[in-house]
């Protein structure tokens, strides 16, 4: 293959609901372009883009698979992304480096949950959208109804460009509404151009009107012209389309059947003839500069995917943002500051790759054995200071703890999970010191299963998922006093310290108790949230100033390990107002002990409460499920705040404790037949209900006994 420049490159992300036919469409394209002689099927596990064993086992795509082909002297890079929401990270990676998206829709199902997500993600990333309506060879499809369904869902930007003459077994003809011609497809996928059959003329001109109207909507001059003349010329349509598409102002619709190879060649022709090339787009840098895909510039690359496999090696996938890259070229990793000499560069097609002398700006490629590289890294020439923004993923919906099946393999699990997280930046792995657990934050259940599979197959370590602990907090609700004398006489030097303290809930600027004289205040912002104010009220030197920090240390020790459940304590004010010293036996250790025990005693008298993290949750569901969601929420201690309507979905706003949120993902999926999703954000700490507090304290007592 020759080396292509940006103006002859198209980068397209295939996204859309799982099962809509993206992988089949990709396969059909590769077949039509002559890259493969035999067309594989998802059923036979022999497609180019689903080539990883687990994809065969599951029967759907899990990874974004880049493929390339040539069509009419143009290089087309297709990123076949998985449709399942669990792997949304993969489709966001694909969209990030694609110039535009083709959202594939299953004609039998119309707009599905995954279609909405695909369109929303494209919109969020400002990527133009084309829509391929697939499986038109299936029975009982009403294309007009489907088209209206698309318009209802995504607005008046949706415009028909290539529509079917008939659907079902008879589907072998489409109409190009720009040129008003019929394309008849032979069994080999090639088409001949004919006049529109008389029986389809009326419907075709109705669709053509819709197309012209949608185009006119994007440009005022054209709108006026359309009003005057009742139609637009093909030249007007095409030149307006190119601009409108690039500006995300029009979503052209194409009729296809990936399985039957109908409409594939007409889609590809359209891509080459009318869709913008990589040269027509700009990229943005972290400092908001707009940069052209210019191969004459110095070189910069953006890493969008990493995959390592014993057979394929450690692959880093990139987009050439500026300049060009070839073997031996040394670039600097912007974040790490380290230089890397690139080895051979490839265009990738599933598990195969083609080595190229160089890849030019605007193209996609990969190389092996880049060290210390992460997804979203920018590489550039040494003196070319540039960085591209990191890819952002949706907040993870599942929080779960991971333990090895075999004790002692904790470290292996940890390092393996970190390696997995390098390749899948949509998850977070965190070793929580506080909870003493390895936590995994993931996008969905299927993703968890994949991680388990990877750990077992690639890293040879078996794990189990268990409930994550909740970062509870403890606090008090009323003031209490305690005094504690620490005294030890064991042979030589003894230990002596006596501390009297008052503790109260921390409320800013509240007055001190009447019987104490404040000498000094010390406000500590706690690492785990909340405050501790330490107030000295010592008069007449009953406790030496040098012992005051030791008392605080004792208090702090107990605050790190609360009396009720061993959780962090927060929002407390401590007054040390009296005490006693011994001229010989008093020392810092003794005062620390006294401080700690006085605090513990006072704490249990001060109406102690357990606090739990509460999250703001937005539950996004089709209207039909709102009732079920509302009646389910109270069973999870959820508090409903309100409902927003956004297009066809409704957003139920609620507050929910983290302990319940941890199990919400799968419940929501089952309540909504997988059509619901949610986002969540930490809101605040709130007291747990008394019955939950009792349960938690009992659990803690039992656990402490077990440990002893
Ligand atoms: N009748 C018919 N079936 C199709 C067509 N295209 C795909 N299929 C079938 O639809 C199913 C799903 O196809 P895939 O290509 O795996 O769909 P996908 O969009 O890649 O799915 P994910 O990878 O899960 O996102 C398979 O059984 C295909 O054989 C088509 O044009 N017509
Ligand atoms: Mg697929």
């Amino acid at each position: 293959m020759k080396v292509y420049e940006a103006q002859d490159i198209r980068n397209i992300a295939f996204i859309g609901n799982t099962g809509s036919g993206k992988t089949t469409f990709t396969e059909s394209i590769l077949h039509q372009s002559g890259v493969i002689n035999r067309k594989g099927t998802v059923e036979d596990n022999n497609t180019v883009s689903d080539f990883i064993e687990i994809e065969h086992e599951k029967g759907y795509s899990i990874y974004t698979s880049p493929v390339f082909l040539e069509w009419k002297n143009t290089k087309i890079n297709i990123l076949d992304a998985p449709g399942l929401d669990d792997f949304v990270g993969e489709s966001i990676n694909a969209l990030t480096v694609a110039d535009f998206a083709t959202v594939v829709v299953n004609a039998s199902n119309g707009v599905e949950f995954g279609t909405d997500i695909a369109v929303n993600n494209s919109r969020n990333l400002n990527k133009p959208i084309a829509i391929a309506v697939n499986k038109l060879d299936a029975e009982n499809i009403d294309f007009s109804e489907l088209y209206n369904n698309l318009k209802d869902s995504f607005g008046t930007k949706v415009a028909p460009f290539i529509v079917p003459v008939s659907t079902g077994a008879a589907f072998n003809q489409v109409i190009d509404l720009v040129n008003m011609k019929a394309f008849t497809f032979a069994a080999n996928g090639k088409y001949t151009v004919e006049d529109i059959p008389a029986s389809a003329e009326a419907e075709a001109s109705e669709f053509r009107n819709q197309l012209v109207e949608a185009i006119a909507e994007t440009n005022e001059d054209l709108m006026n012209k359309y009003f005057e003349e009742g139609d637009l010329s093909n030249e007007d349509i095409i030149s307006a389309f190119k601009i409108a598409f690039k500006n995300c102002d029009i979503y052209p619709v194409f009729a296809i059947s990936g399985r039957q190879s109908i409409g594939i060649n007409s889609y590809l022709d359209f891509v080459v003839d009318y869709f913008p090339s990589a040269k027509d787009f700009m990229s943005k840098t972290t400092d908001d500069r707009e940069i052209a895909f210019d191969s004459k510039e110095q070189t910069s690359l953006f890493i969008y995917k990493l995959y390592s496999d014993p057979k394929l090696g450690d692959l880093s996938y990139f987009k050439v943002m500026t300049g060009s890259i070839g073997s031996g070229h040394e670039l600097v990793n912007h974040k790490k500051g380290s230089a890397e000499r690139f080895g051979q560069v490839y265009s990738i097609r599933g598990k195969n790759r083609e080595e190229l002398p160089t890849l030019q700006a605007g193209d996609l490629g990969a190389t092996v054995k880049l060290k210390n590289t992460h997804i979203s890294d920018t590489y550039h020439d040494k003196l070319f200071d540039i960085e591209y923004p990191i890819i952002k993923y949706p907040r993870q919906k599942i929080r779960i703890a991971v333990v090895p099946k075999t004790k002692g393999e904790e470290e292996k699990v940890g390092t393996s999970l970190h390696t997995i997280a390098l390749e899948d930046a949509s998850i977070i792995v965190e070793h929580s010191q506080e909870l003493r657990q390895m936590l995994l934050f993931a996008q969905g259940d299927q993703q968890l299963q994949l991680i388990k599979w990877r750990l077992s197959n690639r890293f040879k370590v078996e794990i189990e998922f268990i409930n994550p602990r909740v970062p509870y907090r403890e606090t008090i609700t009323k003031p209490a006093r305690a005094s504690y004398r620490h005294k030890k006489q064991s042979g030589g030097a003894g230990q002596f310290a006596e501390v009297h303290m008052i503790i109260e809930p921390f409320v800013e600027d509240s007055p001190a108790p009447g019987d104490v004289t404040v000498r000094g205040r010390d406000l500590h912002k706690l690492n785990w949230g909340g405050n501790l104010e330490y107030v000295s009220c010592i008069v007449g030197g009953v406790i030496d100033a040098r012992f005051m920090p030791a008392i605080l240390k004792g208090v702090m020790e107990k605050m790190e390990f609360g009396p009720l459940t061993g959780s962090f304590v927060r929002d407390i004010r401590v007054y040390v107002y009296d005490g006693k010293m011994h001229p010989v036996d008093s020392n810092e250790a003794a005062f620390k002990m006294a401080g700690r025990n006085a605090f513990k005693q006072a704490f249990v008298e001060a109406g102690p409460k357990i606090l739990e993290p509460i999250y703001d949750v937005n539950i996004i569901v089709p209207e039909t499920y709102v009732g079920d969601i509302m009646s389910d929420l109270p069973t999870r201690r959820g508090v409903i705040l309100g409902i927003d309507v956004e297009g066809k979905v409704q957003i139920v706003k609620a507050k929910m404790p983290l302990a319940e949120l941890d199990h919400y993902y799968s419940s929501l999926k089952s309540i909504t037949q997988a059509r619901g999703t949610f986002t969540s954000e930490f809101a605040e700490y709130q007291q747990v209900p008394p019955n939950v507090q009792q349960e938690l304290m009992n659990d803690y007592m039992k656990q402490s006994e077990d440990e002893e």
Side-chain angles (χ1 to χ4, degrees):
M1 184 179 54
K2 68 174 196 181
V3 170
Y4 280 88
E5 293 284 339
Q7 66 266 23
D8 297 320
I9 295 173
R10 309 280 186 279
N11 298 306
I12 316 173
F14 279 10
I15 55 175
N17 202 78
T18 179
S20 56
K22 300 172 292 294
T23 300
T24 307
F25 186 18
T26 306
E27 189 75 6
S28 190
I29 286 175
L30 292 173
H31 187 233
Q32 288 305 312
S33 64
V35 168
I36 51 173
N37 303 323
R38 219 177 129 252
K39 207 170 118 189
T41 66
V42 176
E43 285 73 12
D44 291 338
N45 293 334
N46 58 355
T47 60
V48 171
S49 53
D50 283 0
F51 63 91
I52 293 169
E53 192 189 330
I54 183 83
E55 297 183 311
H56 295 161
E57 217 171 90
K58 298 280 185 185
Y60 48 71
S61 307
I62 286 174
Y63 298 98
T64 281
S65 191
V67 304
F68 67 95
L69 59 123
E70 293 171 280
W71 191 260
K72 291 182 164 177
N73 294 319
T74 303
K75 181 176 182 181
I76 301 179
N77 292 311
I78 291 171
L79 297 143
D80 174 20
L84 269 181
D85 197 27
D86 295 59
F87 309 116
V88 62
E90 291 283 319
S91 71
I92 288 181
N93 291 346
L95 270 173
T96 302
V97 291
D99 303 323
F100 60 91
T102 292
V103 175
V104 180
V105 175
N106 178 345
S108 299
N109 299 350
V111 173
E112 298 177 83
F113 175 68
T115 323
D116 278 327
I117 297 213
V119 168
N120 284 340
N121 287 339
S122 308
R123 283 174 171 167
N124 290 341
L125 289 167
N126 228 351
K127 299 289 175 175
I129 298 169
I131 298 172
V133 176
N134 185 34
K135 304 199 191 182
L136 285 167
D137 59 304
E139 296 304 324
N140 302 321
I141 288 164
D142 179 341
F143 185 80
S144 295
E145 195 184 303
L146 201 84
Y147 169 70
N148 288 330
N149 176 220
L150 288 168
K151 265 186 110 152
D152 281 349
S153 302
F154 308 124
T156 53
K157 294 178 176 184
V158 175
F161 274 74
I162 294 191
V163 295
V165 172
S166 53
T167 58
F171 177 51
N172 73 336
Q173 215 176 23
V174 298
I175 295 170
D176 164 359
L177 296 170
V178 178
N179 299 300
M180 287 305 266
K181 285 286 177 195
F183 301 159
T184 308
F185 287 82
N188 66 2
K190 304 263 180 300
Y191 66 83
T192 47
V193 183
E194 291 163 20
D195 286 336
I196 297 173
S199 60
E201 265 174 11
E203 203 186 16
S205 71
E206 177 49 36
F207 273 127
R208 157 101 181 181
N209 285 343
Q210 301 251 9
L211 161 63
V212 173
E213 257 172 48
I215 289 280
E217 284 278 347
T218 68
N219 176 313
E220 207 171 314
D221 291 345
L222 286 185
M223 186 54 104
N224 293 335
K225 200 162 168 185
Y226 175 55
F227 269 134
E228 280 159 24
E229 297 171 16
D231 200 358
L232 293 176
S233 72
N234 290 0
E235 292 72 41
D236 280 343
I237 292 176
I238 288 160
S239 57
F241 168 76
K242 286 184 174 172
I243 296 166
F245 182 70
K246 217 183 88 182
N247 294 338
C248 308
D249 284 338
I250 199 151
Y251 304 164
V253 174
F254 300 86
I256 65 161
S257 164
R259 179 180 282 173
Q260 306 296 344
S261 294
I262 297 163
I264 307 304
N265 288 358
S266 39
Y267 168 82
L268 288 173
D269 285 346
F270 202 97
V271 165
V272 169
D273 296 339
Y274 306 136
F275 278 157
S277 73
K279 191 158 192 76
D280 297 313
F281 292 93
M282 303 286 262
S283 60
K284 265 230 164 86
T285 61
T286 44
D287 54 0
D288 256 355
R289 278 182 290 152
E290 296 231 317
I291 304 282
F293 293 95
D294 178 0
S295 62
K296 304 280 181 304
E297 230 329 335
Q298 295 189 70
T299 298
S300 62
L301 313 178
F302 181 76
I303 305 285
Y304 73 93
K305 172 182 165 83
L306 299 172
Y307 188 73
S308 65
D309 176 294
K311 283 190 212 120
L312 301 178
D314 292 334
L315 282 162
S316 307
Y317 296 73
F318 54 80
K319 182 173 193 179
V320 188
M321 307 300 283
T322 57
S324 65
I325 180 81
S327 173
H329 197 140
E330 190 173 282
L331 295 180
V332 174
N333 183 321
H334 186 87
K335 255 197 205 79
K336 282 120 205 166
S338 52
E340 285 264 5
R341 187 171 296 280
F342 275 57
Q344 282 143 355
V345 296
Y346 307 97
S347 271
I348 300 283
R349 185 186 294 125
K351 61 173 178 282
N352 298 316
R353 56 202 190 200
E354 185 171 329
E355 190 189 334
L356 289 166
T358 64
L359 287 163
Q360 307 295 102
D363 209 346
L364 301 180
T367 189
V368 285
K369 295 202 188 92
L370 274 190
K371 287 192 265 332
N372 197 12
T373 297
H374 292 86
I375 291 177
S376 290
D377 278 355
T378 297
Y379 274 93
H380 54 67
D381 276 330
K382 200 168 175 190
L383 298 176
F384 190 44
D385 185 21
I386 195 162
E387 190 185 20
Y388 301 99
I390 60 164
I391 303 175
K392 293 204 182 88
Y393 302 96
R395 191 181 284 271
Q396 296 75 13
K397 295 169 194 72
I398 294 185
R399 190 183 78 105
I400 207 152
V402 186
V403 290
K405 274 204 176 129
T406 315
K407 246 191 148 45
E409 295 202 310
E410 285 76 9
E411 204 175 311
K412 190 168 176 196
V413 170
T415 48
S416 309
L417 274 176
H418 280 291
T419 311
I420 289 175
L422 279 184
E423 290 179 9
D424 184 353
S426 76
I427 61 170
I428 295 174
V429 177
E430 179 193 306
H431 184 80
S432 166
Q433 297 275 352
E434 173 185 355
L435 303 176
R436 284 163 285 126
Q437 279 184 324
M438 177 68 73
L439 295 181
L440 179 60
F441 299 82
Q443 302 284 351
D445 278 336
Q446 302 297 327
Q447 193 184 32
L448 289 183
Q449 293 319 313
L450 172 71
I451 289 168
K452 198 170 189 172
W453 183 89
R454 284 278 277 169
L455 285 170
S456 168
N457 282 268
R458 180 100 165 81
F459 299 97
K460 309 287 177 231
V461 53
E462 304 298 325
I463 56 130
E464 261 169 325
F465 293 119
I466 61 166
N467 279 338
R469 297 196 179 108
V470 173
Y472 291 109
R473 298 285 178 263
E474 297 179 17
T475 196
I476 53 171
T477 51
K478 59 180 190 197
R481 292 176 187 235
S483 45
Y484 190 89
R485 174 180 291 187
H486 178 71
K487 190 174 170 187
K488 244 186 193 156
Q489 223 78 55
S490 51
Q495 292 210 16
F496 182 93
E498 188 175 312
V499 171
H500 298 210
M501 72 171 62
I502 303 169
I503 65 172
E504 65 176 25
F506 174 85
V507 179
E508 231 162 298
D509 299 330
S510 62
D515 57 342
V516 302
T517 315
V518 173
R519 290 298 163 98
R521 289 175 183 271
D522 211 353
L523 184 65
H524 298 265
K525 293 250 170 258
L526 300 165
N527 286 340
W528 51 88
N531 298 292
L532 162 68
E533 192 172 37
Y534 184 57
V535 188
S536 166
C537 310
I538 294 298
V539 279
V542 292
I543 299 175
D544 249 15
R546 67 193 163 104
F547 293 136
M548 292 305 282
I551 299 172
L552 173 63
K553 225 181 203 166
V555 169
M556 272 302 215
E557 257 182 36
K558 210 55 223 156
M559 289 193 63
E560 280 176 23
F561 219 71
L564 305 183
T565 57
S567 309
F568 291 130
V569 175
R570 57 178 284 167
D571 297 327
I572 306 243
R573 184 177 284 120
V574 175
Y575 299 93
V576 177
Y577 67 93
D578 202 357
K580 272 202 184 76
M581 289 185 297
H582 183 275
V584 181
D585 293 348
S586 279
N587 56 32
E588 283 174 14
F591 271 100
K592 191 173 103 179
M593 278 307 266
R596 192 182 131 140
N597 288 329
F599 180 78
K600 187 176 165 187
Q601 272 184 11
F603 193 88
V604 289
E605 297 299 320
K609 289 281 183 257
I610 299 173
L611 306 176
E612 64 179 338
I614 303 289
Y615 277 67
D616 279 324
V617 188
N618 284 347
I619 305 154
I620 303 145
V621 289
E623 194 193 335
T624 42
Y625 299 110
V626 169
D628 294 341
I629 294 294
M630 306 265 284
S631 53
D632 173 73
L633 273 171
T635 69
R636 302 171 194 282
R637 300 196 283 127
V639 177
I640 299 157
L641 303 177
I643 301 178
D644 282 354
V645 180
E646 216 179 89
K648 284 197 316 177
V649 296
Q650 306 217 345
I651 303 174
V652 180
K653 294 176 175 279
K655 283 199 191 291
M656 207 193 288
L658 177 62
E660 300 289 337
L661 194 60
D662 282 336
H663 310 286
Y664 196 52
Y665 173 85
S666 47
S667 315
L668 178 64
K669 290 283 169 194
S670 74
I671 296 172
T672 62
Q673 268 134 47
R675 301 212 42 155
T677 185
F678 70 95
T679 61
S680 65
E681 189 138 5
F682 171 76
E684 74 231 336
Y685 270 95
Q686 275 180 16
Q687 286 181 18
V688 302
N691 61 322
V692 176
Q693 170 147 337
Q694 199 51 52
E695 253 170 59
L696 290 170
M697 284 168 63
N698 293 347
D699 285 353
Y700 179 63
M701 234 152 69
K702 211 169 141 274
Q703 186 194 326
S704 312
E705 280 163 15
D706 288 352
E707 276 167 16
E708 273 165 20

